[in-house]
Amino acid sequence: MVGMGRKETLYMSEYEYVSKSEYAPVRKELEQIINRVQVYMRKNYGLTFQFRLVGSGRRHLITRIKGGNRGYDFDYNLILTPPGDGYRYIAKAIKDEFMTALKVALQGTKYSFPQDSTSSITIKVYDKGKTKIEHSCDFAIIYYGSNDGIDGYYLLRNHKPQQSYQFAFRPSNFDIDEKVQEIIADDGWADIEDEYLLLKDINEGNRKHSFSLYAEAVNNVYNQMYLQ
């Protein structure tokens, strides 16, 4: 099966891709911050975790609105070790510990005070005039379920209306990487790039996160290439 070939663009996208030379130093700084969080969490709470850049950012599809004031963003999973049999994580305590560790790790940086969002912790860098966001990062706190995460993972969520925290189960998207490899082998990567920008443009109100749009773009291209 050969790729679809790059679709003719019939519109001017509202979004643009950020160059690697611009975002690479930001990614390096973010991972240094995460390293400091790891040290603090281990020293003060006896808690260890790994981290992983996820979604569109892991495939270098970093975007922003042309001339916009929201900049571009990264998404990281902070991956806890699964609790042993008979044990469970206290979600509110875990969120509080990560918030404290991040506040310490961010000292001396340009990043804003961490915000406790519904499904992540968010940090941002503003321009000097505080008129726009240069870039931001969302940290989701998760641990994998049984079978090494093939079945899914547990995401720490802040249910703001109920003022409660819990680890909610989410199914895995491991098949996305397999589909990407197949698409790339058939010269279809450019189609993913085009489809991703299209989905960003029609994502009214930014209802969907970038990693969800990336998975949707991969599935759309895969279906067009192999299932039609």
Side-chain angles (χ1 to χ4, degrees), residues 75-112:
D75 294 284
Y76 280 90
N77 280 347
L78 308 183
I79 308 165
L80 300 169
T81 302
D85 292 340
Y87 294 88
R88 66 182 180 89
Y89 286 119
I90 301 174
K92 179 63 165 58
I94 294 293
K95 176 61 77 73
D96 287 345
E97 290 168 357
F98 270 102
M99 289 288 288
T100 298
L102 264 170
K103 291 172 189 176
V104 173
L106 291 173
Q107 291 177 4
T109 73
K110 295 186 294 183
Y111 285 90
S112 65

Side-chain angles (χ1 to χ4, degrees), residues 3-228:
M4 295 182 297
R6 194 156 199 153
K7 300 184 293 292
E8 182 181 358
T9 303
L10 301 178
Y11 68 98
M12 293 297 293
S13 176
E14 183 183 4
Y15 286 82
E16 64 183 359
Y17 283 109
V18 181
S19 68
K20 184 176 181 180
S21 62
E22 180 176 350
Y23 72 71
V26 174
R27 176 179 176 178
K28 180 179 180 180
E29 182 183 30
L30 285 169
E31 295 187 357
Q32 290 172 340
I33 290 170
I34 297 173
N35 290 152
R36 293 198 289 272
V37 172
Q38 287 178 311
V39 172
Y40 188 94
M41 295 287 286
R42 183 172 60 251
K43 179 179 178 181
N44 291 275
Y45 307 120
L47 194 66
T48 60
F49 68 92
Q50 298 177 323
F51 64 90
R52 186 185 190 203
L53 181 63
V54 296
S56 55
R58 194 158 64 91
R59 285 289 178 178
H60 312 293
L61 299 180
I62 309 295
T63 64
R64 63 183 164 209
I65 296 177
K66 298 175 182 176
N69 61 2
R70 296 182 59 85
Y72 58 95
D73 67 284
F74 287 90
D75 294 284
Y76 280 90
N77 280 347
L78 308 183
I79 308 165
L80 300 169
T81 302
D85 292 340
Y87 294 88
R88 66 182 180 89
Y89 286 119
I90 301 174
K92 179 63 165 58
I94 294 293
K95 176 61 77 73
D96 287 345
E97 290 168 357
F98 270 102
M99 289 288 288
T100 298
L102 264 170
K103 291 172 189 176
V104 173
L106 291 173
Q107 291 177 4
T109 73
K110 295 186 294 183
Y111 285 90
S112 65
F113 196 81
Q115 300 174 350
D116 184 0
S117 304
T118 300
S119 56
S120 64
I121 300 174
T122 303
I123 60 175
K124 303 173 183 177
V125 170
Y126 293 88
D127 69 348
K128 291 183 179 179
K130 300 290 183 179
T131 59
K132 68 177 183 178
I133 301 169
E134 292 184 358
H135 54 267
S136 61
C137 184
D138 291 328
F139 300 108
I141 302 167
I142 74 167
Y143 66 88
Y144 290 118
S146 60
N147 205 13
D148 294 327
I150 294 176
D151 298 328
Y153 61 94
Y154 292 85
L155 169 68
L156 202 167
R157 287 182 55 83
N158 175 4
H159 294 275
K160 294 185 178 181
Q162 293 80 26
Q163 296 183 334
S164 65
Y165 294 80
Q166 71 175 78
F167 279 96
F169 183 76
R170 293 290 182 269
S172 279
N173 280 326
F174 280 158
D175 65 327
I176 292 297
D177 285 340
E178 296 177 2
K179 290 178 179 178
V180 169
Q181 293 303 319
E182 193 169 349
I183 291 169
I184 289 175
D186 284 334
D187 298 322
W189 178 249
D191 296 305
I192 293 178
E193 293 180 319
D194 289 343
E195 184 71 12
Y196 181 62
L197 283 185
L198 174 61
L199 293 177
K200 294 280 284 191
D201 279 327
I202 63 178
N203 183 34
E204 295 182 4
N206 295 312
R207 292 180 295 109
K208 296 181 181 179
H209 291 291
S210 295
F211 57 81
S212 297
L213 294 174
Y214 169 69
E216 187 175 343
V218 171
N219 282 323
N220 288 350
V221 172
Y222 186 89
N223 291 342
Q224 291 170 24
M225 289 178 66
Y226 303 106
L227 302 182
Q228 287 189 347

